[in-house]
Each structure stands twice: as structure tokens, then as C-alpha cells.
Amino acid sequence: GDSVTQMEGPVTLSEEAFLTINCTYTATGYPSLFWYVQYPGEGLQLLLKATKADDKGSNKGFEATYRKETTSFHLEKGSVQVSDSAVYFCAPQRVGSQGNLIFGKGTKLSVKP
Amino acid sequence: DAMVIQNPRYQVTQFGKPVTLSCSQTLNHNVMYWYQQKSSQAPKLLFHYYDKDFNNEADTPDNFQSRRPNTSFCFLDIRSPGLGDAAMYLCATSRGGQQHEQFFGPGTRLTVL
């Protein structure tokens, strides 16, 4: 069945460090791919998305590219800030569903000044 | 601003005492989802409505029910809360189908005494 494997945390970085959070998935067909971010005590917010192969989603300095060959959607940011501290979820969409998402386990990022 | 609203933000109930959580949306989306999220875990889909069509996840306990009286509102009823039902409950909406992201509310934190 459809599944997602996300790099487990926690990840602790210093401010201005480079961030990569790996995400790979298995799916029948070609799902749309999403990254969501959750700040403490809040709901999830869409960070970025890509809907077809080679698409690059970007937002707030974060980027992820839809790699069909490797079924991956790794999240990257060149220079993290303290305010980026949050939990990040990779979420492919279940193909053929009514938009249902398959959530990874989440990666907690802590950025130290 | 168009949004997803959840009330209350914090709910305390007693073991076995029925409780209802509410969600409303101003986005006019077709689909409304309910998730359960326990500490340090990914959100777990309980069920969703596509318009008036109810879709239950196979592993959602019978203790959890939902109602959607109109497009804007959706309710989560927990008939006999147990200690294991203490969690954050997230409501989300989307237009449905592929490519469309889900929009999340801020969540309701349920405590069971």
C-alpha cells in the first residue's frame, strides 16, 4: 500500500545552517506531494507542494523537488532561523482518494541561536 | 479571512462523559476531515465527509462519530471518552481530489479526567 518514510528527528541546528529533511514514498500512480509545518500547540500549515514530476515547491526559503525516479521529496533550506523551529511533516496524497494525505512521522527541528 | 475554526480550543471531559467538538469553515470546501493527533505523532485520519457522503477509516473506533449538518459545519462526537482518547483533534478542509491541499484548523486539545 501507499506509504511514506521521513527522516526521524529530532534535528538540532545552529542558526544559518543548511537543512535537509529526507522524505521518500511508495505509491500507485503519481501523487501530489506536500510538506506541512506544525508550530507548538497549533494546527498544521501548508509549507509547500508539488503536483507533478520535476516540479519544485518553494516557500519562506524552503524548497523541495518532486523526484519521480527516486520517489522522493526532500525538504531543504539554505539558512535556517530560530523561528523555523517546528515539526515538519511530509505528506503524499493518496492517489484516487478524495484528497486524503499519508503523513510521515514528522521531524522535529530545533534551531539554536 | 477565509479560515477553518475549531471550538473550543481546549476541552476537558470526564471519563465516559460524551463530548462534542466542532469545526466550521468559510472556505466553502467540499471535504471536511477529522484527525486525531497524539503527542509527538503524526495526525491520524479518523473520517471525512465529501459533501454529505461520510467516509470512515477502517480502524476508527465506533466510539467516534461525526455529523455534518451543512457545508460549513462538522462535528466530532466521542460517545464515551476513555483516557486513551486524550489528544489534539484537528479539523481540515479541502476542495477534494488530487492537487488540492488541506487547510487545517488550530485544533482542540481534549483532556479526559
Side-chain angles (χ1 to χ4, degrees), chain B residues 35-99:
Chain B
Y35 291 89
Q36 179 192 64
Q37 186 180 29
K38 296 189 175 180
S39 183
S40 303
Q41 295 185 21
K44 177 181 182 298
L45 182 63
L46 296 173
F47 27 58
H48 73 275
Y49 274 94
Y50 193 111
D51 294 328
K52 290 187 179 295
D53 291 334
F54 178 70
N55 298 269
N56 200 27
E57 293 298 299
D59 57 353
T60 299
D62 292 340
N63 198 26
F64 292 87
Q65 310 267 306
S66 186
R67 296 170 283 135
R68 188 178 186 185
N70 54 52
T71 300
S72 301
F73 285 87
C74 195
F75 300 98
L76 170 62
D77 300 308
I78 308 177
R79 292 193 297 185
S80 182
L83 298 179
D85 297 327
M88 175 77 89
Y89 290 87
L90 297 168
C91 174
T93 74
S94 87
R95 290 185 182 149
Q98 297 299 298
Q99 302 188 12

Side-chain angles (χ1 to χ4, degrees), chain A residues 81-104:
Chain A
Q81 306 300 311
V82 173
S83 57
D84 294 327
S85 298
V87 180
Y88 293 82
F89 292 96
C90 181
Q93 206 165 42
R94 196 179 297 279
V95 176
S97 72
Q98 292 162 342
N100 293 14
L101 297 171
I102 309 161
F103 280 98

